[in-house]
Amino acid sequence: MDLDCIGSIVLARRLFPGYLPLRSARLQPAAKKLYNLYEEYLAFANPVELNEKCVNHMVVVDTRSNNQVDEYVRNLKEKPVSIEVFDHHPRSEDDIETAVFHECSYGACATLLCLEIMEKKVPISKEDATIALTAIYADTGKFLHPNVSAQDHEAASFLLENGAELSLVKDFLVSFRETTQIILFHEIINAMKVYDIRGHRVHFCYMEIPNENGGIGAVVEKVFEVENCEIFFAFFFFPETDKLLIIARNACEEFSVAEVMADFGGGGHKNAASATISTHSGETVFSKFIVYLETILTPAATAKDIMSGEVAYLKPEMTLLEASLLLEATSHTGAPVLEDSGKLVGLITLKEIMKGRKLGKMQVPLSAFMKREPLCISPNMSIRSIEEIFYKNNIGHLPVVSENRLSGIVTRSDYLSWMSGETSRKKQAIKAMQEDLK
């Protein structure tokens, strides 16, 4: 349980009065001070109190994973009749079956619950407001993480209006409380290495330490902040237990560390995630992971990597019939229109040709039907940006222009072929790593 989880439960019990709030056997070290101070107020029950009991309705917050709720349901007499989930994590294969999901992409799950409180005008106490505000500050990185939304600010404002004490919030968010954390912070800084992977600066550190001390995540978060990393993977190998802990942080808009960690049985957010791997050699996994990341780190790919360089083009004086025959001969669904000087003046697709055919104007110059000033992209535009353009504009052809000259064209088929190849390479990379873990 982290701070966002605790804050979400506090708000959820206002929305579901009479429900029994449960605590986990695992508490994130960064949440201990708040939990200890408010332990009586929180009054979280031990899951063992539900042994052999029947549960009609269960509300789950800040997770959607079966694995994460197993400690609560495994000793029930039977599965809960219904489950309702409030969560801001991405969907996964481990999603709770048959649950009703309330989903969002806000910086904190507590924000989602707070908006429900606001909409239903449910009263909350100043203690609720303080705990929930701490949750939002913690999960949004004090409103500096890339996934922060306007709703997070709206929720924080509401909580302040309801008595949240900022002085307490500040105290609960102190990163380091142990001498061991300060020592580890400096050791990580000294162990860090920077790799240029497909156009991204990726920071790594690998350390072997005897025991998994509490508060490692908070230290990694601070290093990530101080070093102003774009992407950071911290590896901690515990030889006594043959376990490797990977903690990931990310500030890249087009990348998700949650997707990477999910491949290794972990999870988290787009910007913060982790995974634990059983292995006899942490260093081997670390070296293989870098190769794996070089394979699957897709956002660095650009238009020039997937475009068709040899473009069949048309001229504005050609008739619709001539354009139709050329597209049919080349098996294309569209083509750019260029003047003799090479300047791009339009784009014609089968859609415009069909319109001309219905009007009986196939002998008309295609300049009368072509799309003038078509949407163009540069050779360095990212794949994710191209994907968004296809989606938002419902188009299938994007001319690639460099220095006012046509360099190529990216079609939906080009994009899908590239994505298919990336999926295949990703599977091969994961398989190679899994073989090393045996």
Side-chain angles (χ1 to χ4, degrees), residues 167-368:
S167 58
L168 284 175
V169 172
K170 180 181 178 181
D171 190 45
F172 292 143
L173 294 174
V174 172
S175 300
F176 303 159
R177 300 189 182 277
E178 305 290 340
T179 303
T180 54
Q181 289 180 300
I182 298 174
I183 294 172
L184 182 61
F185 172 82
H186 292 288
E187 289 178 340
I188 292 175
I189 293 290
N190 291 331
M192 286 182 76
K193 295 181 179 179
V194 184
Y195 291 74
D196 190 313
I197 299 180
R198 303 182 72 177
H200 292 280
R201 282 175 57 82
V202 185
H203 287 70
F204 292 93
C205 83
Y206 174 83
M207 298 179 62
E208 292 191 5
I209 53 181
N211 300 304
E212 186 175 351
N213 300 317
I216 291 179
V219 178
V220 171
E221 181 74 31
K222 194 65 177 179
V223 172
F224 177 70
E225 177 185 333
V226 170
E227 291 295 309
N228 194 28
C229 305
E230 180 184 0
I231 303 170
F232 180 32
F233 289 96
F235 291 72
F236 302 95
F237 181 57
F238 311 108
E240 293 183 6
T241 58
D242 284 338
K243 286 188 176 180
L244 177 68
L245 171 65
I246 309 174
I247 300 178
R249 294 294 184 266
N250 168 52
C252 179
E253 184 63 31
E254 297 85 9
F255 185 58
S256 171
V257 289
E259 293 179 6
V260 174
M261 291 296 95
D263 289 336
F264 301 95
H269 307 280
K270 175 181 178 181
N271 304 108
S274 63
T276 301
I277 301 172
S278 295
T279 177
H280 297 300
S281 176
E283 205 158 7
T284 299
V285 176
F286 172 63
S287 60
K288 293 291 184 180
F289 184 89
I290 295 176
V291 176
Y292 158 83
L293 201 62
E294 288 173 341
T295 304
I296 64 95
L297 190 54
T298 59
T302 59
K304 63 184 177 185
D305 297 313
I306 69 170
M307 71 182 187
S308 301
E310 296 182 6
V311 185
Y313 64 90
L314 306 170
K315 294 187 176 181
E317 63 270 16
M318 294 175 66
T319 65
L320 284 179
L321 179 59
E322 290 173 324
S324 176
L325 292 173
L326 189 144
L327 292 179
E328 184 179 348
T330 56
S331 298
H332 290 160
T333 58
V337 182
L338 305 182
E339 290 182 339
D340 290 337
S341 63
K343 179 182 178 182
L344 177 69
V345 292
L347 183 76
I348 193 79
T349 68
L350 291 179
K351 183 178 179 181
E352 286 77 44
I353 292 174
M354 289 297 295
K355 188 183 296 183
R357 180 174 285 118
K358 288 181 179 179
L359 296 173
K361 296 186 177 181
M362 293 299 286
Q363 297 301 327
V364 171
L366 59 83
S367 57

Side-chain angles (χ1 to χ4, degrees), residues 14 45 52 64 81 127 134 137 195 207 245 264 292 294 300 309 319 359 376 395 425 434:
R14 293 296 181 185
E52 296 301 315
R64 56 193 303 133
V81 176
E127 290 82 7
T134 303
Y137 265 77
Y195 291 74
M207 298 179 62
L245 171 65
F264 301 95
Y292 158 83
E294 288 173 341
T319 65
L359 296 173
C376 300
I395 56 178
R425 287 189 289 273
Q434 288 173 340

